[in-house]
Amino acid sequence: NAGVTQTPKFQVLKTGQSMTLQCAQDMNHNSMYWYRQDPGMGLRLIYYSASEGTTDKGEVPNGYNVSRLNKREFSLRLESAAPSQTSVYFCASSGTGESLNEKLFFGSGTQLSVL
Amino acid sequence: GNSVTQMEGPVTLSEEAFLTINCTYTATGYPSLFWYVQYPGEGLQLLLKATKADDKGSNKGFEATYRKETTSFHLEKGSVQVSDSAVYFCALRGGGNKLTFGTGTQLKVEL
């Protein structure tokens, strides 16, 4: 009963380093999302993928890239990390039978610190 | 654009107290409204939703009524438990199908 699985759970990077956050869902959902959560700011959408083979920018896409590898997996890449990208990152998915964004299932998050 | 405003926390209550967490929104058209809950160390999960005016969403003893005239969707529970301690997010889905979240309200329930 895994749901949405994110890796890693914690990561510390130096400014300028790159890394990829991995996300996989086992619910056969069409849509997947990446959010960041910052104190006092709520959740903000970085990128989303409405279906396999498509990706679209969200509210705060600068400094990030995504890949929808297949229906199950949606990765988020930081090419050159900056301290402003210190945040908690959440992957989410939503189901085929639901309207887009109607009910999201979230992973447990990745806490990223950029020094 | 769309926005959601929640009361700031933390809200600290004694067990069995009545809970209200205020949420108001700004949106064009007729958005769907949601409450999500985030327990410590976990991702968010949908608590309840309402898709049209005067609808009441309910789950696990929590309720919220979609009030279009006051653009509000306040979360209420008659008797909170320690296990309800979490962060609660109000959200709306408007035009373009994007979810807009509020900043979250932390609830602490003490014995």
Side-chain angles (χ1 to χ4, degrees), chain B residues 11-30:
Chain B
V11 173
T12 304
L13 296 174
S14 298
E15 201 170 43
E16 298 184 0
F18 185 86
L19 168 71
T20 300
I21 299 178
N22 290 338
C23 170
T24 57
Y25 68 90
T26 301
T28 55
Y30 302 93

Side-chain angles (χ1 to χ4, degrees), chain A residues 35 37 40-43 45 48 57-58 90 98-109, chain B residues 32 34 36 38 41-46 49 51 87 89 93 96-99 101-104:
Chain A
Y35 285 88
Q37 183 182 26
M41 307 262 323
L43 274 76
L45 182 64
Y48 70 102
K57 294 179 181 179
F90 287 100
E98 311 273 358
S99 299
L100 188 66
N101 269 307
E102 187 72 10
K103 179 179 180 179
L104 269 61
F105 293 80
F106 283 82
S108 57
Chain B
S32 295
F34 308 85
Y36 277 82
Q38 183 182 26
E42 299 182 11
L44 282 71
Q45 54 186 278
L46 181 65
K49 69 178 185 182
T51 57
V87 181
F89 291 88
R93 181 173 69 95
N97 281 321
K98 304 289 174 61
L99 263 184
F101 286 89
T103 54

